[in-house]
Amino acid sequence: LRRSAIIPSLHEFIPGAGTFHTLEHSGLAVEWHLADGASLKLSANLGGSQITVELNPSTRIIYTSFGSHSPADRLILEPWTVCWRLEA
């Protein structure tokens, strides 16, 4: 995963341009901005109830732990799951 999805973009990461915020009551979202306008995003559900995250149409999901799923325009994070994705 790292070799195929993240390493090719390492030269695009902008130092200090990452952000984070909470998702509902038990989630965490981290975003690393890239020079080409894309971003690498991590969403994690660190609690016991489901969290829904809206997705951009350009989202490319690169990893989800067991229990995460993505119907159409949103991501459902079941308890104690994570999702890594790239967005243009």
PDB file of all heavy atoms in Angstrom, residues 27-65:
ATOM      1  N   GLY A  27     -14.384  10.417  16.411  1.00  0.00           N
ATOM      2  CA  GLY A  27     -13.583  10.232  15.214  1.00  0.00           C
ATOM      3  C   GLY A  27     -12.507  11.287  15.053  1.00  0.00           C
ATOM      4  O   GLY A  27     -12.528  12.340  15.689  1.00  0.00           O
ATOM      5  N   LEU A  28     -11.564  10.979  14.194  1.00  0.00           N
ATOM      6  CA  LEU A  28     -10.458  11.877  13.890  1.00  0.00           C
ATOM      7  C   LEU A  28     -10.252  11.898  12.387  1.00  0.00           C
ATOM      8  O   LEU A  28     -10.261  10.851  11.739  1.00  0.00           O
ATOM      9  CB  LEU A  28      -9.180  11.378  14.575  1.00  0.00           C
ATOM     10  CG  LEU A  28      -7.899  12.150  14.283  1.00  0.00           C
ATOM     11  CD1 LEU A  28      -7.985  13.554  14.871  1.00  0.00           C
ATOM     12  CD2 LEU A  28      -6.706  11.404  14.829  1.00  0.00           C
ATOM     13  N   ALA A  29     -10.075  13.088  11.836  1.00  0.00           N
ATOM     14  CA  ALA A  29      -9.773  13.252  10.412  1.00  0.00           C
ATOM     15  C   ALA A  29      -8.465  14.018  10.288  1.00  0.00           C
ATOM     16  O   ALA A  29      -8.283  15.051  10.928  1.00  0.00           O
ATOM     17  CB  ALA A  29     -10.891  14.012   9.712  1.00  0.00           C
ATOM     18  N   VAL A  30      -7.545  13.494   9.490  1.00  0.00           N
ATOM     19  CA  VAL A  30      -6.263  14.141   9.235  1.00  0.00           C
ATOM     20  C   VAL A  30      -6.129  14.292   7.726  1.00  0.00           C
ATOM     21  O   VAL A  30      -6.468  13.382   6.968  1.00  0.00           O
ATOM     22  CB  VAL A  30      -5.084  13.315   9.792  1.00  0.00           C
ATOM     23  CG1 VAL A  30      -3.768  14.048   9.581  1.00  0.00           C
ATOM     24  CG2 VAL A  30      -5.293  12.983  11.257  1.00  0.00           C
ATOM     25  N   GLU A  31      -5.638  15.452   7.298  1.00  0.00           N
ATOM     26  CA  GLU A  31      -5.477  15.723   5.868  1.00  0.00           C
ATOM     27  C   GLU A  31      -4.098  16.316   5.615  1.00  0.00           C
ATOM     28  O   GLU A  31      -3.690  17.260   6.278  1.00  0.00           O
ATOM     29  CB  GLU A  31      -6.556  16.695   5.395  1.00  0.00           C
ATOM     30  CG  GLU A  31      -6.477  17.025   3.927  1.00  0.00           C
ATOM     31  CD  GLU A  31      -7.641  17.895   3.464  1.00  0.00           C
ATOM     32  OE1 GLU A  31      -8.474  18.301   4.307  1.00  0.00           O
ATOM     33  OE2 GLU A  31      -7.702  18.168   2.268  1.00  0.00           O
ATOM     34  N   TRP A  32      -3.383  15.712   4.663  1.00  0.00           N
ATOM     35  CA  TRP A  32      -2.084  16.223   4.241  1.00  0.00           C
ATOM     36  C   TRP A  32      -2.253  16.779   2.837  1.00  0.00           C
ATOM     37  O   TRP A  32      -2.683  16.069   1.927  1.00  0.00           O
ATOM     38  CB  TRP A  32      -1.044  15.108   4.226  1.00  0.00           C
ATOM     39  CG  TRP A  32      -0.712  14.578   5.580  1.00  0.00           C
ATOM     40  CD1 TRP A  32       0.265  15.030   6.413  1.00  0.00           C
ATOM     41  CD2 TRP A  32      -1.340  13.494   6.265  1.00  0.00           C
ATOM     42  NE1 TRP A  32       0.278  14.296   7.570  1.00  0.00           N
ATOM     43  CE2 TRP A  32      -0.702  13.346   7.512  1.00  0.00           C
ATOM     44  CE3 TRP A  32      -2.402  12.629   5.961  1.00  0.00           C
ATOM     45  CZ2 TRP A  32      -1.065  12.365   8.427  1.00  0.00           C
ATOM     46  CZ3 TRP A  32      -2.765  11.656   6.879  1.00  0.00           C
ATOM     47  CH2 TRP A  32      -2.099  11.540   8.093  1.00  0.00           C
ATOM     48  N   HIS A  33      -1.932  18.052   2.653  1.00  0.00           N
ATOM     49  CA  HIS A  33      -2.111  18.719   1.367  1.00  0.00           C
ATOM     50  C   HIS A  33      -0.893  18.497   0.469  1.00  0.00           C
ATOM     51  O   HIS A  33       0.244  18.543   0.937  1.00  0.00           O
ATOM     52  CB  HIS A  33      -2.338  20.216   1.577  1.00  0.00           C
ATOM     53  CG  HIS A  33      -3.507  20.488   2.466  1.00  0.00           C
ATOM     54  ND1 HIS A  33      -4.806  20.413   2.025  1.00  0.00           N
ATOM     55  CD2 HIS A  33      -3.579  20.794   3.781  1.00  0.00           C
ATOM     56  CE1 HIS A  33      -5.625  20.675   3.026  1.00  0.00           C
ATOM     57  NE2 HIS A  33      -4.907  20.897   4.109  1.00  0.00           N
ATOM     58  N   LEU A  34      -1.150  18.278  -0.813  1.00  0.00           N
ATOM     59  CA  LEU A  34      -0.100  18.038  -1.796  1.00  0.00           C
ATOM     60  C   LEU A  34       0.005  19.227  -2.741  1.00  0.00           C
ATOM     61  O   LEU A  34      -0.969  19.945  -2.970  1.00  0.00           O
ATOM     62  CB  LEU A  34      -0.397  16.763  -2.587  1.00  0.00           C
ATOM     63  CG  LEU A  34      -0.677  15.502  -1.757  1.00  0.00           C
ATOM     64  CD1 LEU A  34      -1.039  14.343  -2.654  1.00  0.00           C
ATOM     65  CD2 LEU A  34       0.509  15.155  -0.887  1.00  0.00           C
ATOM     66  N   ALA A  35       1.179  19.423  -3.297  1.00  0.00           N
ATOM     67  CA  ALA A  35       1.434  20.564  -4.180  1.00  0.00           C
ATOM     68  C   ALA A  35       0.560  20.549  -5.433  1.00  0.00           C
ATOM     69  O   ALA A  35       0.246  21.597  -5.986  1.00  0.00           O
ATOM     70  CB  ALA A  35       2.909  20.603  -4.574  1.00  0.00           C
ATOM     71  N   ASP A  36       0.150  19.386  -5.880  1.00  0.00           N
ATOM     72  CA  ASP A  36      -0.681  19.310  -7.093  1.00  0.00           C
ATOM     73  C   ASP A  36      -2.166  19.563  -6.817  1.00  0.00           C
ATOM     74  O   ASP A  36      -3.003  19.421  -7.693  1.00  0.00           O
ATOM     75  CB  ASP A  36      -0.487  17.958  -7.783  1.00  0.00           C
ATOM     76  CG  ASP A  36      -0.985  16.776  -6.964  1.00  0.00           C
ATOM     77  OD1 ASP A  36      -1.492  16.979  -5.844  1.00  0.00           O
ATOM     78  OD2 ASP A  36      -0.851  15.637  -7.451  1.00  0.00           O
ATOM     79  N   GLY A  37      -2.502  19.938  -5.571  1.00  0.00           N
ATOM     80  CA  GLY A  37      -3.881  20.235  -5.219  1.00  0.00           C
ATOM     81  C   GLY A  37      -4.634  19.060  -4.616  1.00  0.00           C
ATOM     82  O   GLY A  37      -5.729  19.215  -4.097  1.00  0.00           O
ATOM     83  N   ALA A  38      -4.064  17.886  -4.676  1.00  0.00           N
ATOM     84  CA  ALA A  38      -4.693  16.700  -4.088  1.00  0.00           C
ATOM     85  C   ALA A  38      -4.414  16.657  -2.587  1.00  0.00           C
ATOM     86  O   ALA A  38      -3.658  17.470  -2.063  1.00  0.00           O
ATOM     87  CB  ALA A  38      -4.162  15.436  -4.761  1.00  0.00           C
ATOM     88  N   SER A  39      -5.022  15.714  -1.913  1.00  0.00           N
ATOM     89  CA  SER A  39      -4.731  15.515  -0.491  1.00  0.00           C
ATOM     90  C   SER A  39      -4.828  14.045  -0.132  1.00  0.00           C
ATOM     91  O   SER A  39      -5.606  13.293  -0.710  1.00  0.00           O
ATOM     92  CB  SER A  39      -5.633  16.320   0.419  1.00  0.00           C
ATOM     93  OG  SER A  39      -6.841  16.658  -0.118  1.00  0.00           O
ATOM     94  N   LEU A  40      -4.003  13.671   0.830  1.00  0.00           N
ATOM     95  CA  LEU A  40      -4.051  12.346   1.430  1.00  0.00           C
ATOM     96  C   LEU A  40      -4.843  12.505   2.721  1.00  0.00           C
ATOM     97  O   LEU A  40      -4.542  13.388   3.523  1.00  0.00           O
ATOM     98  CB  LEU A  40      -2.640  11.833   1.732  1.00  0.00           C
ATOM     99  CG  LEU A  40      -2.552  10.503   2.475  1.00  0.00           C
ATOM    100  CD1 LEU A  40      -3.116   9.362   1.629  1.00  0.00           C
ATOM    101  CD2 LEU A  40      -1.107  10.220   2.866  1.00  0.00           C
ATOM    102  N   LYS A  41      -5.864  11.672   2.906  1.00  0.00           N
ATOM    103  CA  LYS A  41      -6.737  11.814   4.066  1.00  0.00           C
ATOM    104  C   LYS A  41      -6.833  10.508   4.840  1.00  0.00           C
ATOM    105  O   LYS A  41      -6.886   9.429   4.251  1.00  0.00           O
ATOM    106  CB  LYS A  41      -8.142  12.243   3.639  1.00  0.00           C
ATOM    107  CG  LYS A  41      -8.169  13.616   3.007  1.00  0.00           C
ATOM    108  CD  LYS A  41      -9.583  14.052   2.706  1.00  0.00           C
ATOM    109  CE  LYS A  41      -9.603  15.481   2.179  1.00  0.00           C
ATOM    110  NZ  LYS A  41     -10.965  15.985   2.025  1.00  0.00           N
ATOM    111  N   LEU A  42      -6.869  10.661   6.159  1.00  0.00           N
ATOM    112  CA  LEU A  42      -7.099   9.550   7.065  1.00  0.00           C
ATOM    113  C   LEU A  42      -8.335   9.881   7.888  1.00  0.00           C
ATOM    114  O   LEU A  42      -8.430  10.973   8.458  1.00  0.00           O
ATOM    115  CB  LEU A  42      -5.909   9.358   8.004  1.00  0.00           C
ATOM    116  CG  LEU A  42      -6.141   8.448   9.214  1.00  0.00           C
ATOM    117  CD1 LEU A  42      -6.345   7.009   8.786  1.00  0.00           C
ATOM    118  CD2 LEU A  42      -4.985   8.561  10.189  1.00  0.00           C
ATOM    119  N   SER A  43      -9.273   8.964   7.934  1.00  0.00           N
ATOM    120  CA  SER A  43     -10.439   9.086   8.818  1.00  0.00           C
ATOM    121  C   SER A  43     -10.426   7.876   9.731  1.00  0.00           C
ATOM    122  O   SER A  43     -10.283   6.744   9.258  1.00  0.00           O
ATOM    123  CB  SER A  43     -11.740   9.104   8.020  1.00  0.00           C
ATOM    124  OG  SER A  43     -11.791  10.235   7.187  1.00  0.00           O
ATOM    125  N   ALA A  44     -10.555   8.121  11.030  1.00  0.00           N
ATOM    126  CA  ALA A  44     -10.519   7.030  12.001  1.00  0.00           C
ATOM    127  C   ALA A  44     -11.693   7.158  12.954  1.00  0.00           C
ATOM    128  O   ALA A  44     -11.976   8.237  13.452  1.00  0.00           O
ATOM    129  CB  ALA A  44      -9.206   7.084  12.778  1.00  0.00           C
ATOM    130  N   ASN A  45     -12.356   6.046  13.205  1.00  0.00           N
ATOM    131  CA  ASN A  45     -13.426   5.993  14.183  1.00  0.00           C
ATOM    132  C   ASN A  45     -12.857   5.309  15.419  1.00  0.00           C
ATOM    133  O   ASN A  45     -12.580   4.113  15.410  1.00  0.00           O
ATOM    134  CB  ASN A  45     -14.620   5.219  13.640  1.00  0.00           C
ATOM    135  CG  ASN A  45     -15.779   5.217  14.613  1.00  0.00           C
ATOM    136  OD1 ASN A  45     -15.668   5.668  15.749  1.00  0.00           O
ATOM    137  ND2 ASN A  45     -16.908   4.699  14.173  1.00  0.00           N
ATOM    138  N   LEU A  46     -12.676   6.067  16.476  1.00  0.00           N
ATOM    139  CA  LEU A  46     -12.054   5.567  17.691  1.00  0.00           C
ATOM    140  C   LEU A  46     -13.077   5.283  18.788  1.00  0.00           C
ATOM    141  O   LEU A  46     -12.731   5.220  19.968  1.00  0.00           O
ATOM    142  CB  LEU A  46     -11.023   6.580  18.187  1.00  0.00           C
ATOM    143  CG  LEU A  46      -9.970   6.972  17.143  1.00  0.00           C
ATOM    144  CD1 LEU A  46      -9.105   8.103  17.659  1.00  0.00           C
ATOM    145  CD2 LEU A  46      -9.144   5.774  16.737  1.00  0.00           C
ATOM    146  N   GLY A  47     -14.316   5.105  18.395  1.00  0.00           N
ATOM    147  CA  GLY A  47     -15.375   4.890  19.375  1.00  0.00           C
ATOM    148  C   GLY A  47     -16.277   3.733  19.028  1.00  0.00           C
ATOM    149  O   GLY A  47     -16.035   3.000  18.065  1.00  0.00           O
ATOM    150  N   GLY A  48     -17.347   3.597  19.779  1.00  0.00           N
ATOM    151  CA  GLY A  48     -18.231   2.455  19.669  1.00  0.00           C
ATOM    152  C   GLY A  48     -19.452   2.620  18.799  1.00  0.00           C
ATOM    153  O   GLY A  48     -20.259   1.706  18.698  1.00  0.00           O
ATOM    154  N   SER A  49     -19.623   3.776  18.129  1.00  0.00           N
ATOM    155  CA  SER A  49     -20.779   3.936  17.254  1.00  0.00           C
ATOM    156  C   SER A  49     -20.326   4.365  15.853  1.00  0.00           C
ATOM    157  O   SER A  49     -19.250   4.912  15.669  1.00  0.00           O
ATOM    158  CB  SER A  49     -21.769   4.950  17.834  1.00  0.00           C
ATOM    159  OG  SER A  49     -21.137   6.187  18.032  1.00  0.00           O
ATOM    160  N   GLN A  50     -21.177   4.106  14.891  1.00  0.00           N
ATOM    161  CA  GLN A  50     -20.896   4.375  13.480  1.00  0.00           C
ATOM    162  C   GLN A  50     -20.705   5.868  13.216  1.00  0.00           C
ATOM    163  O   GLN A  50     -21.374   6.704  13.811  1.00  0.00           O
ATOM    164  CB  GLN A  50     -22.079   3.838  12.681  1.00  0.00           C
ATOM    165  CG  GLN A  50     -21.892   3.738  11.221  1.00  0.00           C
ATOM    166  CD  GLN A  50     -23.135   3.149  10.582  1.00  0.00           C
ATOM    167  OE1 GLN A  50     -24.154   3.835  10.470  1.00  0.00           O
ATOM    168  NE2 GLN A  50     -23.071   1.891  10.191  1.00  0.00           N
ATOM    169  N   ILE A  51     -19.801   6.210  12.283  1.00  0.00           N
ATOM    170  CA  ILE A  51     -19.571   7.587  11.838  1.00  0.00           C
ATOM    171  C   ILE A  51     -19.712   7.620  10.319  1.00  0.00           C
ATOM    172  O   ILE A  51     -19.237   6.727   9.622  1.00  0.00           O
ATOM    173  CB  ILE A  51     -18.163   8.080  12.227  1.00  0.00           C
ATOM    174  CG1 ILE A  51     -18.044   8.235  13.735  1.00  0.00           C
ATOM    175  CG2 ILE A  51     -17.837   9.401  11.546  1.00  0.00           C
ATOM    176  CD1 ILE A  51     -16.656   8.631  14.198  1.00  0.00           C
ATOM    177  N   THR A  52     -20.356   8.661   9.798  1.00  0.00           N
ATOM    178  CA  THR A  52     -20.491   8.842   8.355  1.00  0.00           C
ATOM    179  C   THR A  52     -19.647  10.028   7.922  1.00  0.00           C
ATOM    180  O   THR A  52     -19.675  11.087   8.543  1.00  0.00           O
ATOM    181  CB  THR A  52     -21.959   9.089   7.974  1.00  0.00           C
ATOM    182  OG1 THR A  52     -22.734   7.968   8.399  1.00  0.00           O
ATOM    183  CG2 THR A  52     -22.120   9.267   6.470  1.00  0.00           C
ATOM    184  N   VAL A  53     -18.888   9.853   6.851  1.00  0.00           N
ATOM    185  CA  VAL A  53     -18.019  10.891   6.299  1.00  0.00           C
ATOM    186  C   VAL A  53     -18.430  11.123   4.847  1.00  0.00           C
ATOM    187  O   VAL A  53     -18.552  10.168   4.075  1.00  0.00           O
ATOM    188  CB  VAL A  53     -16.530  10.456   6.350  1.00  0.00           C
ATOM    189  CG1 VAL A  53     -15.629  11.491   5.733  1.00  0.00           C
ATOM    190  CG2 VAL A  53     -16.114  10.140   7.778  1.00  0.00           C
ATOM    191  N   GLU A  54     -18.663  12.387   4.480  1.00  0.00           N
ATOM    192  CA  GLU A  54     -19.001  12.714   3.092  1.00  0.00           C
ATOM    193  C   GLU A  54     -17.750  12.559   2.224  1.00  0.00           C
ATOM    194  O   GLU A  54     -16.655  12.928   2.630  1.00  0.00           O
ATOM    195  CB  GLU A  54     -19.525  14.140   2.983  1.00  0.00           C
ATOM    196  CG  GLU A  54     -20.806  14.385   3.771  1.00  0.00           C
ATOM    197  CD  GLU A  54     -21.949  13.488   3.341  1.00  0.00           C
ATOM    198  OE1 GLU A  54     -22.178  13.333   2.127  1.00  0.00           O
ATOM    199  OE2 GLU A  54     -22.616  12.937   4.227  1.00  0.00           O
ATOM    200  N   LEU A  55     -17.921  12.042   0.995  1.00  0.00           N
ATOM    201  CA  LEU A  55     -16.808  11.837   0.083  1.00  0.00           C
ATOM    202  C   LEU A  55     -16.907  12.761  -1.120  1.00  0.00           C
ATOM    203  O   LEU A  55     -17.994  13.025  -1.626  1.00  0.00           O
ATOM    204  CB  LEU A  55     -16.770  10.391  -0.418  1.00  0.00           C
ATOM    205  CG  LEU A  55     -16.461   9.315   0.615  1.00  0.00           C
ATOM    206  CD1 LEU A  55     -16.501   7.943  -0.057  1.00  0.00           C
ATOM    207  CD2 LEU A  55     -15.133   9.555   1.283  1.00  0.00           C
ATOM    208  N   ASN A  56     -15.782  13.215  -1.581  1.00  0.00           N
ATOM    209  CA  ASN A  56     -15.632  13.988  -2.798  1.00  0.00           C
ATOM    210  C   ASN A  56     -15.772  13.021  -3.979  1.00  0.00           C
ATOM    211  O   ASN A  56     -15.315  11.882  -3.888  1.00  0.00           O
ATOM    212  CB  ASN A  56     -14.227  14.614  -2.736  1.00  0.00           C
ATOM    213  CG  ASN A  56     -13.883  15.471  -3.909  1.00  0.00           C
ATOM    214  OD1 ASN A  56     -14.189  15.139  -5.046  1.00  0.00           O
ATOM    215  ND2 ASN A  56     -13.217  16.553  -3.630  1.00  0.00           N
ATOM    216  N   PRO A  57     -16.354  13.419  -5.109  1.00  0.00           N
ATOM    217  CA  PRO A  57     -16.469  12.512  -6.261  1.00  0.00           C
ATOM    218  C   PRO A  57     -15.118  12.008  -6.773  1.00  0.00           C
ATOM    219  O   PRO A  57     -15.047  10.950  -7.385  1.00  0.00           O
ATOM    220  CB  PRO A  57     -17.170  13.358  -7.328  1.00  0.00           C
ATOM    221  CG  PRO A  57     -17.880  14.420  -6.570  1.00  0.00           C
ATOM    222  CD  PRO A  57     -17.051  14.687  -5.338  1.00  0.00           C
ATOM    223  N   SER A  58     -14.043  12.744  -6.500  1.00  0.00           N
ATOM    224  CA  SER A  58     -12.718  12.326  -6.980  1.00  0.00           C
ATOM    225  C   SER A  58     -11.991  11.416  -5.995  1.00  0.00           C
ATOM    226  O   SER A  58     -10.825  11.093  -6.196  1.00  0.00           O
ATOM    227  CB  SER A  58     -11.854  13.562  -7.238  1.00  0.00           C
ATOM    228  OG  SER A  58     -11.554  14.210  -6.011  1.00  0.00           O
ATOM    229  N   THR A  59     -12.659  10.969  -4.950  1.00  0.00           N
ATOM    230  CA  THR A  59     -12.027  10.145  -3.919  1.00  0.00           C
ATOM    231  C   THR A  59     -11.562   8.802  -4.462  1.00  0.00           C
ATOM    232  O   THR A  59     -12.297   8.109  -5.152  1.00  0.00           O
ATOM    233  CB  THR A  59     -12.995   9.903  -2.752  1.00  0.00           C
ATOM    234  OG1 THR A  59     -13.319  11.155  -2.164  1.00  0.00           O
ATOM    235  CG2 THR A  59     -12.394   8.990  -1.698  1.00  0.00           C
ATOM    236  N   ARG A  60     -10.327   8.472  -4.113  1.00  0.00           N
ATOM    237  CA  ARG A  60      -9.779   7.144  -4.410  1.00  0.00           C
ATOM    238  C   ARG A  60      -9.436   6.503  -3.062  1.00  0.00           C
ATOM    239  O   ARG A  60      -8.488   6.922  -2.396  1.00  0.00           O
ATOM    240  CB  ARG A  60      -8.529   7.248  -5.273  1.00  0.00           C
ATOM    241  CG  ARG A  60      -7.894   5.916  -5.543  1.00  0.00           C
ATOM    242  CD  ARG A  60      -6.661   6.038  -6.428  1.00  0.00           C
ATOM    243  NE  ARG A  60      -5.790   4.923  -6.164  1.00  0.00           N
ATOM    244  CZ  ARG A  60      -4.488   5.008  -6.001  1.00  0.00           C
ATOM    245  NH1 ARG A  60      -3.885   6.179  -6.088  1.00  0.00           N
ATOM    246  NH2 ARG A  60      -3.779   3.948  -5.758  1.00  0.00           N
ATOM    247  N   ILE A  61     -10.215   5.535  -2.654  1.00  0.00           N
ATOM    248  CA  ILE A  61      -9.956   4.858  -1.387  1.00  0.00           C
ATOM    249  C   ILE A  61      -8.781   3.911  -1.594  1.00  0.00           C
ATOM    250  O   ILE A  61      -8.785   3.091  -2.510  1.00  0.00           O
ATOM    251  CB  ILE A  61     -11.203   4.115  -0.887  1.00  0.00           C
ATOM    252  CG1 ILE A  61     -12.277   5.146  -0.528  1.00  0.00           C
ATOM    253  CG2 ILE A  61     -10.869   3.228   0.312  1.00  0.00           C
ATOM    254  CD1 ILE A  61     -13.596   4.587  -0.091  1.00  0.00           C
ATOM    255  N   ILE A  62      -7.758   4.050  -0.725  1.00  0.00           N
ATOM    256  CA  ILE A  62      -6.585   3.200  -0.870  1.00  0.00           C
ATOM    257  C   ILE A  62      -6.504   2.124   0.214  1.00  0.00           C
ATOM    258  O   ILE A  62      -5.804   1.141   0.043  1.00  0.00           O
ATOM    259  CB  ILE A  62      -5.285   4.020  -0.944  1.00  0.00           C
ATOM    260  CG1 ILE A  62      -5.133   4.963   0.231  1.00  0.00           C
ATOM    261  CG2 ILE A  62      -5.234   4.797  -2.246  1.00  0.00           C
ATOM    262  CD1 ILE A  62      -3.845   5.752   0.236  1.00  0.00           C
ATOM    263  N   TYR A  63      -7.209   2.315   1.323  1.00  0.00           N
ATOM    264  CA  TYR A  63      -7.256   1.278   2.356  1.00  0.00           C
ATOM    265  C   TYR A  63      -8.430   1.542   3.300  1.00  0.00           C
ATOM    266  O   TYR A  63      -8.656   2.678   3.701  1.00  0.00           O
ATOM    267  CB  TYR A  63      -5.970   1.254   3.192  1.00  0.00           C
ATOM    268  CG  TYR A  63      -6.069   0.275   4.340  1.00  0.00           C
ATOM    269  CD1 TYR A  63      -5.873  -1.074   4.120  1.00  0.00           C
ATOM    270  CD2 TYR A  63      -6.394   0.708   5.617  1.00  0.00           C
ATOM    271  CE1 TYR A  63      -5.995  -1.983   5.167  1.00  0.00           C
ATOM    272  CE2 TYR A  63      -6.521  -0.196   6.665  1.00  0.00           C
ATOM    273  CZ  TYR A  63      -6.315  -1.544   6.433  1.00  0.00           C
ATOM    274  OH  TYR A  63      -6.451  -2.434   7.459  1.00  0.00           O
ATOM    275  N   THR A  64      -9.143   0.499   3.635  1.00  0.00           N
ATOM    276  CA  THR A  64     -10.126   0.569   4.709  1.00  0.00           C
ATOM    277  C   THR A  64      -9.960  -0.677   5.555  1.00  0.00           C
ATOM    278  O   THR A  64      -9.698  -1.759   5.038  1.00  0.00           O
ATOM    279  CB  THR A  64     -11.592   0.625   4.209  1.00  0.00           C
ATOM    280  OG1 THR A  64     -11.849  -0.524   3.411  1.00  0.00           O
ATOM    281  CG2 THR A  64     -11.875   1.869   3.430  1.00  0.00           C
ATOM    282  N   SER A  65     -10.097  -0.509   6.860  1.00  0.00           N
ATOM    283  CA  SER A  65     -10.055  -1.679   7.727  1.00  0.00           C
ATOM    284  C   SER A  65     -11.401  -2.389   7.658  1.00  0.00           C
ATOM    285  O   SER A  65     -12.389  -1.833   7.194  1.00  0.00           O
ATOM    286  CB  SER A  65      -9.702  -1.277   9.159  1.00  0.00           C
ATOM    287  OG  SER A  65     -10.612  -0.334   9.662  1.00  0.00           O
TER     288      SER A  65
END
